[in-house]
Amino acid sequence: MNERLNFAAFSPTAYGDVLGREQFMDMGLRALWPGMPRLAGPAYTVSCPPGDNLMLHAAIYRAAPGAVIVVQAGDAEYAMAGGNVCAIAQSRGIAGFVVDGVIRDLAEVREAQFAVFARGVMPVPGQKKALGTLNQPIVCGGVRVNPGDMVVADEEGIAVIPAAQQEEVWQAAQQRTEQDAAQSLADWEVNHRAKVEQLLQSLGFTETGLG
């Protein structure tokens, strides 16, 4: 990870103009409490078998401070973590969780202001009887995530920026954001309308029958 770049400075929306659709997790993964700050950090990846959460519990003692623990859960039937696991992760400096599954003890997690993106909540915990993987490639929310990929998540969605592209993607997002900020809405409307009309014309659109 390039520590000079502040990936949290931009929403996934800014990266959406740069990355392909395949780098954004499906909309079923969402912030589990309102007003959650933007989450950004290098991925520490975990995979768990169905009904088991052992590897996520192991990960909180292995991931580096600032990391986002990204979890490929085996199902959404059993909670992958609860309030105590989230509290320990938070105390160890872990930025947050992105879980393709469910957690529990949401009230505790919300009170602690620990960032968790997941599919929902389930009161029943998983077991701890089976091995999965730590810091290996996984698929989370339909996206392939490698250790060290940058994860940026907020209410707009969850972006996964491949490690090898981080600098160029960040710079492109910065440039696009600065261009948008420098342009008034009135100017944007003029340019947008001209572009829309040009596209309609190129596709053979006519006003016949309208109005």
Side-chain angles (χ1 to χ4, degrees):
M1 181 188 69
N2 192 326
E3 296 182 357
R4 295 183 298 105
L5 307 180
N6 179 14
F7 285 89
F10 308 123
S11 169
T13 302
Y15 301 111
D17 293 321
V18 181
L19 294 167
R21 171 63 184 85
E22 70 279 1
Q23 295 305 125
F24 294 86
M25 295 188 188
D26 75 62
M27 63 182 181
L29 276 75
R30 63 191 190 280
L32 290 190
W33 49 270
M36 188 181 297
R38 185 172 300 139
L39 174 63
Y44 185 94
T45 53
V46 179
S47 71
C48 295
D52 201 282
N53 60 26
L54 174 62
M55 302 312 287
L56 171 54
H57 290 224
I60 66 172
Y61 300 108
R62 289 165 171 78
V68 175
I69 294 182
V70 183
V71 186
Q72 178 182 338
D75 56 40
E77 301 297 322
Y78 297 90
M80 299 300 297
N84 287 344
V85 168
C86 290
I88 292 170
Q90 186 176 39
S91 72
R92 295 180 61 82
I94 292 166
F97 292 168
V98 174
V99 182
D100 196 346
V102 294
I103 69 160
R104 67 177 189 164
D105 299 331
L106 180 56
E108 295 178 25
V109 176
R110 181 176 61 244
E111 184 177 357
Q113 300 284 283
F114 183 65
V116 178
F117 290 74
R119 294 195 180 275
V121 294
M122 165 57 65
V124 182
Q127 297 184 328
K128 297 172 184 61
K129 296 182 177 180
L131 293 176
T133 65
L134 293 177
N135 236 20
Q136 298 294 320
I138 62 169
V139 174
C140 182
V143 178
R144 180 179 173 87
V145 185
N146 293 296
D149 287 350
M150 183 60 56
V151 177
V152 182
D154 66 14
E155 62 187 0
E156 300 290 343
I158 305 171
V160 179
I161 306 169
Q165 302 174 30
Q166 286 175 10
E167 182 143 4
E168 63 184 273
V169 168
W170 187 88
Q171 289 176 348
Q174 181 189 43
Q175 182 178 20
R176 179 62 182 266
T177 300
E178 290 176 348
Q179 288 174 347
D180 288 346
Q183 187 178 48
S184 70
L185 180 59
D187 288 340
W188 188 92
E189 181 184 5
V190 170
N191 293 334
H192 179 255
R193 183 169 185 173
K195 180 180 179 180
V196 169
E197 295 304 323
Q198 182 181 23
L199 290 170
L200 290 173
Q201 184 177 11
S202 70
L203 293 169
F205 175 79
T206 67
E207 300 288 345
T208 303
L210 296 180

